[in-house]
Amino acid sequence: MMLQEYMEEQKKHIDARLKELLCTDVKAFETLYESMNYSLNGGGKRIRPILMLAVIEMLGKNPRPYLDMACALECVHTYSLIHDDLPAMDNDDYRRGNLTNHKVYGEGMAILAGDGLLTYAFELMASQKQIESSKIAAIISTFAQAAGPAGMVGGQAFDLESEGNMEIGIDGLKLLHKAKTGVIFKTAIDIAAILGDATQEERNALDDYALYMGLTFQITDDILDVVGDSHVLGKPVGSDEKNKKATYATIFSLEEARRLARQAAESASTSLKPFGDRARILKELVEYMLVRVN
Amino acid sequence: MMLQEYMEEQKKHIDARLKELLCTDVKAFETLYESMNYSLNGGGKRIRPILMLAVIEMLGKNPRPYLDMACALECVHTYSLIHDDLPAMDNDDYRRGNLTNHKVYGEGMAILAGDGLLTYAFELMASQKQIESSKIAAIISTFAQAAGPAGMVGGQAFDLESEGNMEIGIDGLKLLHKAKTGVIFKTAIDIAAILGDATQEERNALDDYALYMGLTFQITDDILDVVGDSHVLGKPVGSDEKNKKATYATIFSLEEARRLARQAAESASTSLKPFGDRARILKELVEYMLVRVN
């Protein structure tokens, strides 16, 4: 199967399951559920859950029983976007071509929609009866660490404090990327390694892949903010330069950023060597991240 | 031991442990950790974790190994207060006599402090190696359900939507109380029941206790907003009436609210009958909730 076909197939399952998950029969909670679903089903590419399922498959397991785990990952990703877009944070009006959550439901409800999605993700992870509970505890511990104050939330706090400060330099940029974006890609892969019973050698290879693949994604994201088409991206471009935000495309030249992205993608592919032919989809996925236009 | 002495003793352990938990050596994350600790160590009475530990003890187990579980509960309680106080929610400037989190650290950082505490609580719960992982999964599932969109977050959303609407009536009030406040008391007790291996009969008794004890707490809270001393409470009084908020003390007369609180406290005590003498601390705790002044 080609990558595009593979991604569409997985996305179909993920989208269908995400539509089923969050519903309520309590009238008083309806607006909250509507606002959570608005962002959750607002056209995400589902890269993180697809990545998780693809790694499980590469490890020789059927990924289907782990669909809800993948959906939990998307819930946490969506919560982070809703909170990032708030006026007190990045103050963005559009996301994926739609109005951001707080533009539709108001700030208070958007904060709660994020809180709800984050908490629900843990409920979903903890309730997977078909998975051994020792694995569930390990997954939640790994995941919460990655998404919490020492990971994604920390990265967002650093981002908030360093906005308008181009002086954070390449080390600051690396930390920011690692904590804010890379960490959830890495977690998607860590969870897959737990569920797929990866050996130590396989884990080491996956760690390298996660690092370079996340970097490829991030540099491309930074480049797209400069050269992307706002209609295709579904959000305005040029905001990083306007906000004097240190990114790979504002600290380096575009040419240099492109070279770094290409280098990261090659390192990502190389790290999958131990998996031989089984790595084809994941190699193509990193290529896709490099050439993506949205 | 008398209740007050018991509470002080437990609070000492909880306070000490909470002070140890959240620290970072990453300079870029320092403000975030400071803001989380500001609210976490801002003079909370620790009623929820004390309740959890007391129930475990009543069930005949040593509560000490479960101190971190109790601390996780306090982290989630603190997150909910930080987000509730935000300008987009209740817009409160003071909490426990101190400036609210966003008044000190700004709105963006306060949102992140809440996100960080919530996520960290799940990390803490999932990382308790001395607890069987089947219990950990059950606890996280129970807890996330209670704190999430069908519980506390839902209650807060309903509260947000119904502010200024006294028409929600007694049914709306009950739902609001159950979802917003009662649910975390109930969860503290549910977690204790799991950790303390409660029998079905014990669970039923504890369910009743949780219901009536939470109600006692809530009605007293509503009464204090009318007749409390703002210096002792550490926050302004009269805000419910000003915001036309439906509470037990604005829908009912003060006299009727006091009668309902007393009735709930008696039902809470009665429900502990199966535990005999071992229930003394928990009976005193509900009395304390009735007569508390802050």
Side-chain angles (χ1 to χ4, degrees):
Chain A
M1 210 189 305
M2 298 285 289
L3 176 73
Q4 199 175 340
E5 207 183 319
Y6 181 85
M7 285 182 73
E8 274 166 21
E9 173 75 14
Q10 299 292 352
K11 184 175 183 305
K12 208 177 63 190
H13 290 294
I14 296 162
D15 283 347
R17 185 64 183 138
L18 284 174
K19 281 212 175 79
E20 286 172 359
L21 285 176
L22 281 156
C23 46
T24 185
D25 50 13
V26 180
K27 214 178 144 31
F29 299 166
E30 273 173 10
T31 312
L32 174 70
Y33 276 78
E34 195 187 303
S35 72
M36 291 191 294
N37 280 310
Y38 172 80
S39 293
L40 196 58
N41 302 312
K45 295 184 292 292
R46 317 301 190 197
I47 291 183
R48 291 152 194 82
I50 290 173
L51 175 65
M52 195 194 112
L53 298 172
V55 172
I56 293 175
E57 212 166 332
M58 182 173 70
L59 289 165
K61 303 243 164 167
N62 174 13
R64 204 53 60 227
Y66 307 118
L67 186 58
D68 279 4
M69 278 287 177
C71 288
L73 208 61
E74 190 70 8
C75 288
V76 171
H77 175 57
T78 306
Y79 125 80
S80 78
L81 299 181
I82 296 174
H83 281 193
D84 281 11
D85 287 339
L86 286 167
M89 309 273 200
D90 293 351
N91 195 18
D92 283 319
D93 293 351
Y94 286 91
R95 164 77 67 183
R96 298 164 181 159
N98 302 315
L99 284 171
T100 44
N101 197 293
H102 64 272
K103 280 286 175 188
V104 178
Y105 296 96
E107 254 180 87
M109 196 57 79
I111 294 170
L112 292 170
D115 293 347
L117 283 165
L118 173 60
T119 314
Y120 179 72
F122 288 106
E123 181 189 336
L124 197 56
M125 287 188 271
S127 314
Q128 301 301 308
K129 302 267 179 241
Q130 79 288 9
I131 302 175
E132 303 96 293
S133 40
S134 60
K135 283 187 179 175
I136 288 182
I139 286 169
I140 293 178
S141 173
T142 301
F143 194 24
Q145 218 168 326
M152 195 173 67
V153 174
Q156 180 65 14
F158 180 43
D159 198 12
L160 187 69
E161 283 199 301
S162 57
E163 194 134 15
N165 175 13
M166 298 283 278
E167 307 297 303
I168 63 166
I170 180 70
D171 285 342
L173 195 60
K174 274 187 180 161
L175 174 69
L176 194 59
H177 155 65
K178 191 181 150 213
K180 217 189 132 177
T181 315
V183 80
I184 298 298
F185 286 113
K186 174 148 176 31
T187 308
I189 294 173
D190 286 342
I191 295 175
I194 294 172
L195 292 171
D197 297 310
T199 63
Q200 191 55 54
E201 191 206 4
E202 286 171 334
R203 270 180 193 256
N204 296 344
L206 286 170
D207 281 350
D208 286 347
Y209 177 72
L211 175 71
Y212 294 115
M213 192 272 282
L215 196 59
T216 310
F217 182 89
Q218 183 63 55
I219 303 175
T220 309
D221 221 50
D222 292 349
I223 293 171
L224 282 173
D225 190 77
V226 178
V227 303
D229 179 329
S230 68
H231 291 287
V232 181
L233 277 171
K235 61 183 177 185
V237 297
S239 65
D240 293 337
E241 206 188 341
K242 199 179 70 193
N243 299 329
K244 290 198 192 312
K245 200 159 167 173
T247 77
Y248 282 94
T250 56
I251 281 197
F252 299 101
S253 70
L254 260 183
E255 196 185 346
E256 178 65 2
R258 283 201 174 103
R259 198 186 62 77
L260 288 168
R262 160 68 47 203
Q263 202 178 53
E266 276 164 21
S267 299
S269 272
T270 308
S271 60
L272 292 177
K273 225 171 168 181
F275 297 100
D277 283 351
R278 284 182 294 147
R280 197 174 53 76
I281 288 287
L282 287 171
K283 281 184 181 170
E284 284 181 32
L285 189 64
V286 82
E287 274 301 311
Y288 159 80
M289 286 191 177
L290 193 66
V291 301
R292 72 200 172 88
V293 291
N294 68 2
Chain B
M1 213 190 302
M2 300 283 291
L3 175 73
Q4 199 175 340
E5 207 183 320
Y6 181 86
M7 285 182 74
E8 274 166 21
E9 173 75 16
Q10 300 291 350
K11 185 177 183 303
K12 208 177 65 190
H13 290 295
I14 295 161
D15 283 347
R17 185 64 182 138
L18 283 173
K19 282 211 175 80
E20 286 172 2
L21 285 175
L22 280 157
C23 45
T24 184
D25 51 13
V26 180
K27 213 176 144 33
F29 298 167
E30 272 172 11
T31 312
L32 174 69
Y33 277 76
E34 195 188 303
S35 73
M36 291 190 294
N37 280 311
Y38 172 80
S39 294
L40 195 57
N41 303 312
K45 294 185 292 294
R46 318 302 191 197
I47 293 183
R48 291 151 193 83
I50 290 174
L51 175 64
M52 196 194 112
L53 297 173
V55 172
I56 293 176
E57 213 167 332
M58 182 174 69
L59 289 165
K61 302 243 166 168
N62 173 15
R64 205 53 60 226
Y66 307 119
L67 186 59
D68 279 4
M69 277 286 177
C71 288
L73 208 60
E74 190 69 9
C75 289
V76 171
H77 175 56
T78 306
Y79 125 78
S80 79
L81 298 181
I82 296 174
H83 281 193
D84 281 13
D85 287 339
L86 285 167
M89 308 277 199
D90 292 352
N91 195 20
D92 282 319
D93 292 351
Y94 287 92
R95 165 76 65 184
R96 298 165 181 158
N98 303 315
L99 285 170
T100 44
N101 197 293
H102 64 272
K103 279 287 176 185
V104 178
Y105 297 97
E107 256 180 86
M109 196 57 79
I111 294 169
L112 292 171
D115 293 348
L117 283 166
L118 172 61
T119 314
Y120 179 72
F122 288 107
E123 182 190 335
L124 196 57
M125 286 188 271
S127 313
Q128 301 300 309
K129 301 269 180 241
Q130 79 287 11
I131 303 174
E132 303 96 292
S133 40
S134 60
K135 284 188 179 176
I136 288 181
I139 287 170
I140 293 177
S141 172
T142 301
F143 194 24
Q145 218 169 326
M152 195 172 68
V153 175
Q156 180 64 13
F158 179 42
D159 198 12
L160 187 70
E161 284 199 301
S162 57
E163 194 137 16
N165 175 13
M166 298 281 280
E167 307 296 304
I168 63 166
I170 180 69
D171 286 342
L173 195 58
K174 275 188 180 160
L175 174 69
L176 194 58
H177 156 64
K178 192 181 149 210
K180 218 190 132 176
T181 316
V183 79
I184 297 300
F185 285 112
K186 179 155 172 26
T187 308
I189 293 173
D190 286 343
I191 295 175
I194 294 172
L195 292 171
D197 296 310
T199 64
Q200 191 55 52
E201 191 206 2
E202 287 171 333
R203 270 179 193 258
N204 295 343
L206 286 170
D207 281 351
D208 285 348
Y209 177 73
L211 176 69
Y212 292 115
M213 193 273 282
L215 197 58
T216 310
F217 182 90
Q218 182 65 56
I219 303 176
T220 309
D221 220 50
D222 292 351
I223 293 173
L224 283 173
D225 190 76
V226 177
V227 303
D229 178 330
S230 68
H231 291 287
V232 182
L233 276 170
K235 61 182 178 186
V237 297
S239 65
D240 293 338
E241 207 190 339
K242 199 179 71 194
N243 298 330
K244 289 197 193 312
K245 200 158 169 174
T247 77
Y248 283 93
T250 57
I251 282 196
F252 298 102
S253 70
L254 260 183
E255 197 185 348
E256 179 66 2
R258 284 202 175 105
R259 199 187 62 76
L260 287 169
R262 159 70 46 201
Q263 202 177 53
E266 274 164 22
S267 299
S269 272
T270 308
S271 60
L272 292 177
K273 225 171 166 180
F275 297 101
D277 284 351
R278 283 183 294 147
R280 199 175 52 79
I281 288 287
L282 287 171
K283 281 184 182 171
E284 285 182 29
L285 189 64
V286 82
E287 275 301 310
Y288 159 79
M289 286 190 177
L290 193 66
V291 299
R292 71 199 172 89
V293 290
N294 67 2

